[in-house]
Amino acid sequence: MQIHANPFAYEFELDRTALVIIDMQRDFVEPGGFGETLGNDVSLLQAIVPATQSVLHAWRKKGGLVIHTREAHRRDLADCPPAKRNRGNPVLRIGDTGPMGRILVAGEPGNQIIDALAPVDGEIVIDKPGKGAFYATGLQSMLQQRSIRKLIFMGVTTEVCVQTSMREANDRGYDCLLLEDCTESYFPAFKTAAIEMIRAQGAIVGWTAPSTALLGALGNH
Ligand code: C5J
């Protein structure tokens, strides 16, 4: 399949491509989680849910591989560097108890993926202690086992966990596409800048496209 993308067409085969949804967890998208604790307006992120859900449903209908990630730490926080936990002056720190349970801790209500995008049987869920989806996770071997060569990204936040994951993937040889209306930042200017830097210099990190371009190629638009 080929889709219109920036800076030029993106080609992929469905059985060699995974849809990767970064950190669409309650901690970032709903009030009372890590995102809000850092002083952000989480309603900005909720705006991408309908488009993200449309792509997820279309991809599932085609039988494509879906990978969800969550930024999640062990209950004992052994995988949370003190430098990460102690940074800044948030209302609640990682591991503290908030309205949705312990902040950014695996298994807590706030750490679950939002209902609209909840994983179904057969989809892979990666818990990652860092910003990137490859760091300290089994993602690379899971992709290799399935002969995946291309990754299509959605999720939050554009310039933090999404861009970090795309850069990690790019350095590992994956061709990456970011769906522009299926990613968001707490800072709109950072989203714009991240999209521009990803596709600059002949797709130095990857391609970007609106979700309609992918939906069209999948026969859903
Ligand atoms: C952040 C993320 N922003 N998923 N995490 O800390 O982008």
Side-chain angles (χ1 to χ4, degrees), residues 62-110:
K62 288 283 180 189
L65 178 65
V66 179
I67 296 171
H68 305 259
T69 71
R70 299 182 288 215
E71 189 168 337
H73 290 282
R74 291 164 41 135
R75 303 196 68 73
D76 62 5
L77 302 187
D79 59 355
C80 181
K84 179 177 182 183
R85 180 171 148 77
N86 296 333
R87 193 169 306 156
N89 191 24
V91 179
L92 293 170
R93 292 187 187 278
I94 295 169
D96 290 349
T97 301
M100 294 191 290
R102 294 180 67 202
I103 299 284
L104 242 51
V105 169
E108 296 291 325

Side-chain angles (χ1 to χ4, degrees), residues 22-23 28 34 38 71 128 131 156-157 160-162 186:
I22 301 288
D23 297 2
F28 292 118
F34 188 55
L38 295 170
E71 189 168 337
K128 59 181 185 57
K131 305 304 183 203
V156 297
T157 60
V160 185
C161 292
V162 175
Y186 300 119

Side-chain angles (χ1 to χ4, degrees), residues 72-154:
H73 290 282
R74 291 164 41 135
R75 303 196 68 73
D76 62 5
L77 302 187
D79 59 355
C80 181
K84 179 177 182 183
R85 180 171 148 77
N86 296 333
R87 193 169 306 156
N89 191 24
V91 179
L92 293 170
R93 292 187 187 278
I94 295 169
D96 290 349
T97 301
M100 294 191 290
R102 294 180 67 202
I103 299 284
L104 242 51
V105 169
E108 296 291 325
N111 210 233
Q112 306 310 313
I113 290 165
I114 60 171
D115 287 347
L117 304 171
V120 299
D121 280 353
E123 296 178 351
I124 294 172
V125 181
I126 302 271
D127 280 344
K128 59 181 185 57
K131 305 304 183 203
F134 288 82
Y135 170 69
T137 73
L139 178 57
Q140 184 156 14
S141 65
M142 292 178 207
L143 296 175
Q144 283 168 345
Q145 283 159 17
R146 292 164 179 79
S147 303
I148 297 294
R149 301 302 322 141
K150 310 226 170 183
L151 302 175
I152 298 179
F153 282 87
M154 308 195 290

